[in-house]
Amino acid sequence: MGKALDGIRILDFTHVQSGPTCTQLLAWLGADVIKVERPGTGDVTRGQLRDIPNADSLYFTMLNHNKRSITLDAKNAQGKDVLEALMRTCDVMVENFGPGVLDRMGFTWERIQELNPRMIYASVKGFGPGPYEDCKVYENVAQCTGGAASTTGFRNGPPVVTGAQIGDSGTGLHLALGIVAAIYQRVATGRGQRVLAAMQDGVLNLCRVKLRDQQRLAHGPLTEYSQYGEGVAFGDATPRAGNDSGGGQPGWILKCKGWESDPNAYIYFITQAPVWAAICKVIGQEDWITHPDYAKPDARLPRLKEIFARIEQWTMTKTKFEAMDILNEYDIPCGPILSMKEIAEEKSLRETGTIVEVDHPKRGKYLSVGLPVKLSDSPADVVRSPLLGEHTEEILRDVLRFDAKKIEEIKASGALGGAKPMAAE
């Protein structure tokens, strides 16, 4: 069975996380991704957070599946010629260099269009056009400038960054969508185009409910926030809300049996209005079904702290899985706080390909995430990440159609790495 992006070739100039997330998604969907790396060192993450000596780190392997690697010195004249040949034959070029790096290499957008008018040139940057566009950005900087950190954490505490990589991987997801849209538009126009995903923009897109709440503040307090029920006045910006639900249904994280020794013995519990009567019955508080202080959603809002404290008395008598089983019988929305260990061992995630086991020639077997989107006619096979320069000759021969003599000339020039041979005296 074919893949959704069969026939699409990606020139991958990306490194670290945001760009590789994007190109890995495209590779899982069937694109031929050619990762260009610096001879000798390659992507810096090959050696970062390394847990096994002399083997590519999990940081690298889990972001570079299904790709081919070519090592190339872009400062070498022959190396630059190879890059230009790759640009002529590829459909998409993806990069997440610092601002202006490709321009200084001689690959401006105008030059790229000269080489290949159908090329889609996709970039991850920290900021879009504006006063900060030349600033360097990493994951947590993006979270802080995109509105996530200021709205995450507890009201009386400092801003907090989330464990989810919404700045890097989140922006990579956005860029992949833009690339696929540009490929589709090219069918009609015949032209390539530039695609830009700024990390600040990507984070803000994922924080849209907080921008919603910022505007609601002009018309009164945010009644679903727990501080409303506690009588704490709102300021002029969307506040940090702890574990309050981001939607219109109040929610909170509650202790379960074993919380004293297990840091993840908790459950997220939502007091959804349609199942309020069922909640009251489950926790043994049936008088709340009709009591005027609790019967209606608006009446409950000032009392959320008290309500969740009462529900927690019940959840503390159950493990998080026991509580979930009981609550699901009544269609009460909830979810256990799962540790990474529990997720890694969850059988159902292995069966769906959400978590996959990959075998690597130097580090052995390891776990990775798989494609999070399931296509019925384009199943994703996760193939191990490439060794540094593993496919260099293959790409020169099969993609660029260079003959053996040409390949030897390129090697001799030092463009692929290694010392350039000394001229005979």
Side-chain angles (χ1 to χ4, degrees), residues 17-36:
Q17 185 176 171
S18 58
T21 295
C22 168
T23 53
Q24 179 172 256
L25 285 168
L26 301 173
W28 280 338
L29 291 169
D32 177 16
V33 176
I34 297 173
K35 185 176 180 74
V36 179

Side-chain angles (χ1 to χ4, degrees), residues 1-6 28-30 371 373-380:
M1 183 181 294
K3 300 293 179 66
L5 294 181
D6 276 351
W28 280 338
L29 291 169
L371 182 64
V373 181
K374 318 302 182 190
L375 279 69
S376 61
D377 283 359
S378 185

Side-chain angles (χ1 to χ4, degrees), residues 113-139:
Q113 286 182 301
E114 289 176 4
L115 293 169
N116 184 354
R118 291 174 57 82
M119 173 69 81
I120 294 162
Y121 175 13
S123 303
V124 171
K125 299 301 174 192
F127 296 95
Y132 305 116
E133 63 182 310
D134 292 331
C135 297
K136 186 179 290 186
V137 174
Y138 285 90
E139 168 66 42

Side-chain angles (χ1 to χ4, degrees), residues 320-396:
K320 61 188 178 186
F321 296 112
E322 290 170 344
M324 185 178 183
D325 288 342
I326 294 169
L327 296 172
N328 280 339
E329 289 180 15
Y330 295 91
D331 205 26
I332 298 169
C334 64
I337 308 305
L338 296 179
S339 69
M340 275 298 158
K341 181 176 185 295
E342 289 168 325
I343 291 171
E345 295 171 353
E346 174 55 48
K347 184 179 178 182
S348 66
L349 296 178
R350 304 286 188 97
E351 292 172 346
T352 60
T354 299
I355 291 180
V356 295
E357 186 176 80
V358 183
D359 199 2
H360 189 276
K362 290 193 175 181
R363 63 171 303 117
K365 294 181 178 180
Y366 64 93
L367 295 182
S368 179
V369 296
L371 182 64
V373 181
K374 318 302 182 190
L375 279 69
S376 61
D377 283 359
S378 185
D381 301 314
V382 177
V383 180
R384 68 162 176 85
S385 59
L387 302 177
L388 179 60
E390 180 177 354
H391 305 96
T392 298
E393 289 199 35
E394 177 183 299
I395 291 164
L396 296 175

Side-chain angles (χ1 to χ4, degrees), residues 104-168:
R104 292 193 293 273
M105 291 170 60
F107 294 116
T108 62
W109 172 228
E110 292 73 23
R111 176 56 179 156
I112 292 167
Q113 286 182 301
E114 289 176 4
L115 293 169
N116 184 354
R118 291 174 57 82
M119 173 69 81
I120 294 162
Y121 175 13
S123 303
V124 171
K125 299 301 174 192
F127 296 95
Y132 305 116
E133 63 182 310
D134 292 331
C135 297
K136 186 179 290 186
V137 174
Y138 285 90
E139 168 66 42
N140 290 347
V141 175
Q143 290 193 32
C144 292
T145 59
S150 68
T151 56
T152 302
F154 289 88
R155 187 173 66 250
N156 296 321
V160 175
V161 295
T162 176
Q165 303 292 282
I166 61 175
D168 276 323

Side-chain angles (χ1 to χ4, degrees), residues 172-419:
L173 289 166
H174 286 99
L175 186 64
L177 173 61
I179 289 170
V180 171
I183 291 171
Y184 183 77
Q185 188 174 21
R186 191 179 65 179
V187 174
T189 66
R191 299 192 309 273
Q193 62 180 295
R194 293 210 62 174
V195 181
L196 170 66
M199 294 171 71
Q200 182 186 43
D201 298 0
V203 171
L204 178 57
N205 185 49
L206 298 175
C207 292
R208 69 184 68 183
V209 297
K210 301 302 183 180
L211 181 60
R212 172 203 68 192
D213 292 348
Q214 178 64 42
Q215 297 169 87
R216 291 171 58 215
L217 276 173
H219 305 285
L222 307 175
T223 56
E224 79 279 11
Y225 280 53
S226 57
Q227 76 177 72
Y228 169 74
E230 297 169 22
V232 178
F234 285 82
D236 61 359
T238 306
R240 292 186 276 283
N243 291 316
D244 287 338
S245 172
Q249 305 294 338
W252 201 254
I253 290 179
L254 305 176
K255 298 172 184 174
C256 291
K257 182 189 288 186
W259 68 272
E260 300 91 341
S261 58
D262 181 354
N264 295 299
Y266 292 83
I267 193 167
Y268 199 90
F269 193 110
I270 296 177
T271 55
Q272 187 184 30
V275 293
W276 174 247
I279 292 171
C280 295
K281 291 175 182 177
V282 167
I283 67 173
Q285 200 72 51
E286 295 188 36
D287 59 308
W288 281 1
I289 297 174
T290 56
H291 194 292
D293 287 346
Y294 305 96
K296 301 295 183 182
D298 287 346
R300 293 193 290 273
L301 288 175
R303 300 172 175 83
L304 288 177
K305 187 173 182 179
E306 172 198 350
I307 289 169
F308 282 120
R310 175 64 186 90
I311 296 171
E312 189 172 60
Q313 290 177 5
W314 178 81
T315 59
M316 288 172 65
T317 68
K318 314 291 180 187
T319 69
K320 61 188 178 186
F321 296 112
E322 290 170 344
M324 185 178 183
D325 288 342
I326 294 169
L327 296 172
N328 280 339
E329 289 180 15
Y330 295 91
D331 205 26
I332 298 169
C334 64
I337 308 305
L338 296 179
S339 69
M340 275 298 158
K341 181 176 185 295
E342 289 168 325
I343 291 171
E345 295 171 353
E346 174 55 48
K347 184 179 178 182
S348 66
L349 296 178
R350 304 286 188 97
E351 292 172 346
T352 60
T354 299
I355 291 180
V356 295
E357 186 176 80
V358 183
D359 199 2
H360 189 276
K362 290 193 175 181
R363 63 171 303 117
K365 294 181 178 180
Y366 64 93
L367 295 182
S368 179
V369 296
L371 182 64
V373 181
K374 318 302 182 190
L375 279 69
S376 61
D377 283 359
S378 185
D381 301 314
V382 177
V383 180
R384 68 162 176 85
S385 59
L387 302 177
L388 179 60
E390 180 177 354
H391 305 96
T392 298
E393 289 199 35
E394 177 183 299
I395 291 164
L396 296 175
R397 182 185 65 245
D398 299 340
V399 174
L400 299 181
R401 305 295 181 184
F402 291 163
D403 59 25
K405 181 180 178 182
K406 177 66 173 176
I407 293 173
E408 286 304 315
E409 288 177 359
I410 295 169
K411 285 182 181 180
S413 75
L416 307 181

